[in-house]
Amino acid sequence: MKKTDFLMTKIIATLGPASNSVEIITQLIQAGARVFRINFSHGKFSEYDQLIENIRESERATNEFVAILGDISGPKIRVGKIMEGGIFLKQGSEIIFSKKEVPNGEFFEKPLFSTTYPAFIDEVNPGERILLDDGNIELTCLRREGAGEEATLVCRVVEGNRLTSSKGINLPDTLLSLPSLTDKDFRCVEYAVKKSLDFLALSFVRSRKDILVLKDKLTELGARPHGLGITGHDFGFSTGYEDTPYIPIISKIEKPQAIQNLEEIIEESDGVMVARGDLGVEMDLAEVAILQKQIVHQCRKEGKPVIVATQMLQSMILQPTPTRAEVSDVANAILDGVDAIMLSGETAIGKFPVAAVKMMARIGVKTHGFIQKFGHVMPHFVKKEGVLSRKSAMSHGVADMGRDIDARYIITWIHSGGSTMMISQQRMEVPIIAFGERVSRLRQMALLYGVIPRYLIQPISGSRFIADLNIFLLQENLIEIGDPIVIVASDPITKRGLTNRIVIHYVGESME
């Protein structure tokens, strides 16, 4: 462990053809990535098998705990197959969507296309917008013709461009009856449970009902404890389920309906991702930055982990350095206090995947240096009731103690990890070194702001734990004799579910 390892805001790297080898994944970890995203929209289960195996091999090689985030595709609607080279849709022209399969996109009087969701022809109403290819083509629905399987949708091209096979369809004005999880998605969930992935991201969330569908499936598969409902501040780790396999759900905010139902979605989710790609297609592009601020603020207020994603260093897909605007984008997300920032195409298909992570880490180090000096990120403390009240008050007290004594580190011993997560939500500019012996929890800790997970066999006593800490910190050259640290654990340290001991310790002092 080196001092440079302490990146407070975590980096998520999406894996793909440019980064699927053990060699590159190892370099990504060394550069600062702590979570790897597997996008279930691309690839086969056999390819995911190899990817997971490579991640775990790189994890062992670097002696770092890293998490794997499985990103469920959701009900993405796409255009059917179109002739090679595509068809140019001219502004002002009319096109037709058919329920029947159209082999190559056909020209009669008007271009004719099929889709992967024929029922959308019954659900889109005249006057509603249809966006193709991430908004590069805009249509307006004019009318529906025919009925049943013969029904078609006639649209006018508002903004024209070339359309090729399998491009995405966005319907920002339409309330679809499409289920939140497709048959393929359910197979991906079953795979994620089988492979013990650390997190699942749910795409195209519209309301809390979509999240409940996934929760029910995970409970059925034994990957979410029976009785665990809404979580807050602690991922549900504090509720006596530390021995139960548990995959937290990260809800992706990318639909207008999600903005309308934002509070209930954040409440129902274990964490949230600001997915700016589809959000920027379905909402006014000029609103995206404001919506990002709104979502992050609400997550911080509720103590829910939050991730900002999409096009953060987009130019590094092709170029070795980012634009100045991209650097500012990354820094501003960090200044807002997010838990993690995510790279997508930059590491999945880009020419410079390792350089992109290194750049993001450099921006993080510089930005956190500013925060340490000026205290830009303000913590949000939300008083909790019931089972979380003790941990909530404790985390607030630890933050105050750490600042009062200018602690070098906050040290925690984790059974379930709930207290560590709640301390993380205080957004101290002090690294939290979380020791524990449950590997699955340590990996999940890798997503959280400021937390550095480390494996340690259960100490026999609190004083033994502190003695071991002194040795560890001094041997790793992380600290000097006399430096202050705050230690958080249970008393006795072997007791589960009760964090009730806070020790202000000066390294080297006797515990007798």
Side-chain angles (χ1 to χ4, degrees):
M1 184 189 292
K2 302 175 183 177
K3 292 181 182 179
T4 53
D5 290 337
F6 296 142
L7 294 174
M8 304 298 285
T9 303
K10 301 305 181 67
I11 298 173
I12 302 173
T14 302
L15 297 183
S19 53
N20 56 15
S21 68
V22 173
E23 179 184 4
I24 297 299
I25 295 171
T26 299
Q27 291 179 40
L28 293 174
I29 296 173
Q30 292 169 336
R34 290 296 177 268
V35 181
F36 290 109
R37 171 176 172 253
I38 296 177
N39 187 353
F40 287 134
S41 296
H42 308 287
K44 304 174 182 178
F45 289 122
S46 59
E47 295 170 337
Y48 306 150
D49 286 342
Q50 187 62 58
L51 206 52
I52 293 168
E53 185 177 323
N54 290 352
I55 292 169
R56 294 309 178 206
E57 183 175 339
S58 296
E59 180 183 53
R60 291 188 293 271
T62 56
N63 198 31
E64 291 287 348
F65 287 104
V66 296
I68 300 176
L69 168 68
D71 197 333
I72 303 169
S73 308
K76 183 72 172 179
I77 307 173
R78 297 185 182 277
V79 175
K81 190 174 181 180
I82 297 176
M83 64 181 67
E84 187 175 349
I87 297 174
F88 189 87
L89 304 184
K90 186 179 178 181
Q91 184 178 1
S93 64
E94 293 184 4
I95 68 169
I96 300 173
F97 288 103
S98 171
K99 284 188 176 181
K100 296 180 178 180
E101 184 176 350
V102 181
N104 290 300
E106 295 180 2
F107 273 102
F108 295 99
E109 291 182 6
K110 301 168 184 174
L112 181 67
F113 305 104
S114 58
T115 74
T116 57
Y117 181 58
F120 103 100
I121 290 171
D122 298 322
E123 300 183 22
V124 176
N125 297 309
E128 294 179 343
R129 290 172 296 159
I130 300 172
L131 305 176
L132 309 179
D133 189 17
D134 290 337
N136 289 319
I137 299 170
E138 181 179 342
L139 315 174
T140 297
C141 175
L142 297 178
R143 62 188 178 275
R144 188 179 299 108
E145 295 182 346
E149 293 304 308
E150 301 298 322
T152 60
L153 206 64
V154 182
C155 304
R156 175 176 287 118
V157 179
V158 178
E159 293 290 341
N161 214 318
R162 185 168 298 278
L163 181 64
T164 56
S165 298
S166 302
K167 291 300 182 183
I169 300 176
N170 291 86
L171 303 167
D173 304 326
T174 306
L175 291 175
L176 294 172
S177 60
L178 198 64
S180 59
L181 291 165
T182 66
D183 290 342
K184 179 196 171 185
D185 293 332
F186 280 118
R187 291 195 298 272
C188 290
V189 173
E190 291 169 357
Y191 176 84
V193 173
K194 177 182 176 182
K195 291 294 184 177
S196 301
L197 299 196
D198 302 293
F199 299 96
L200 278 174
L202 180 60
S203 299
F204 303 113
V205 175
R206 294 161 293 189
S207 72
R208 76 185 330 147
K209 293 180 181 178
D210 297 333
I211 305 163
L212 290 171
V213 172
L214 180 53
K215 284 184 175 180
D216 288 344
K217 184 63 176 179
L218 289 172
T219 302
E220 174 191 323
L221 295 171
R224 191 174 186 93
H226 287 276
L228 177 59
I230 291 172
T231 63
H233 269 89
D234 70 333
F235 263 164
F237 288 169
S238 301
T239 47
Y241 300 116
E242 60 264 26
D243 291 326
T244 306
Y246 173 28
I247 302 179
I249 298 169
I250 308 295
S251 294
K252 296 169 67 176
I253 308 298
E254 49 194 337
K255 299 283 289 182
Q257 296 92 333
I259 298 300
Q260 295 167 7
N261 299 314
L262 185 61
E263 288 191 15
E264 69 172 48
I265 288 172
I266 291 174
E267 181 183 36
E268 195 68 53
S269 305
D270 298 314
V272 167
M273 180 187 294
V274 186
R276 303 182 302 182
D278 280 283
L279 188 63
V281 173
E282 300 220 0
M283 304 286 290
D284 182 353
L285 194 58
E287 286 187 278
V288 170
I290 298 168
L291 292 171
Q292 175 179 318
K293 297 278 186 183
Q294 177 187 348
I295 297 164
V296 171
H297 175 79
Q298 190 67 25
C299 289
R300 294 288 302 110
K301 180 181 176 182
E302 296 301 321
K304 295 293 178 81
V306 59
I307 301 160
V308 170
T310 318
Q311 297 184 336
M312 302 210 79
L313 297 176
Q314 181 78 355
S315 64
M316 289 193 74
I317 292 177
L318 298 175
Q319 303 296 330
T321 56
T323 66
R324 277 63 172 167
E326 288 167 343
V327 171
S328 295
D329 182 36
V330 173
N332 272 304
I334 294 170
L335 289 168
D336 286 342
V338 301
D339 285 83
I341 42 184
M342 192 175 94
L343 296 165
S344 300
E346 300 95 329
T347 50
I349 59 171
K351 292 183 177 181
F352 309 98
V354 178
V357 173
K358 286 182 177 179
M359 175 55 67
M360 193 167 261
R362 281 178 58 195
I363 298 167
V365 169
K366 293 292 185 181
T367 306
H368 281 289
F370 171 85
I371 294 171
Q372 282 182 322
K373 186 174 181 180
F374 296 103
H376 189 82
V377 175
M378 297 300 292
H380 295 277
F381 174 67
V382 181
K383 185 176 180 179
K384 288 290 181 179
E385 304 292 336
V387 70
L388 297 182
S389 60
R390 186 197 306 265
K391 293 180 187 292
S392 180
M394 177 276 305
S395 65
H396 191 230
V398 168
D400 283 343
M401 290 181 191
R403 294 184 184 102
D404 287 348
I405 67 170
D406 194 22
R408 291 290 303 278
Y409 302 102
I410 307 297
I411 307 292
T412 66
W413 173 260
I414 68 169
H415 291 293
S416 65
S419 296
T420 299
M421 178 171 174
M422 296 182 82
I423 295 170
S424 166
Q425 289 298 320
Q426 294 298 320
R427 292 302 190 261
M428 304 167 60
E429 283 304 304
V430 179
I432 304 163
I433 305 179
F435 290 92
E437 60 178 357
R438 187 175 177 194
V439 171
S440 61
R441 279 289 190 267
L442 292 169
R443 285 172 174 162
Q444 289 169 330
M445 294 285 114
L447 174 69
L448 303 180
Y449 180 97
V451 178
I452 298 96
R454 286 292 176 264
Y455 181 82
L456 187 68
I457 295 173
Q458 170 74 62
I460 59 173
S461 67
S463 58
R464 181 69 262 172
F465 179 49
I466 294 173
D468 291 342
L469 288 178
N470 282 316
I471 295 170
F472 173 84
L473 295 171
L474 291 169
Q475 283 182 342
E476 296 291 328
N477 295 317
L478 296 174
I479 210 160
E480 296 179 359
I481 296 292
D483 283 344
I485 58 176
V486 178
I487 302 167
V488 184
S490 56
D491 185 21
I493 199 168
T494 53
K495 186 175 180 61
R496 296 185 172 198
L498 180 64
T499 302
N500 61 351
R501 187 185 189 196
I502 303 172
V503 177
I504 296 175
H505 177 66
Y506 292 85
V507 173
E509 70 180 357
S510 173
M511 293 303 298
E512 296 180 358

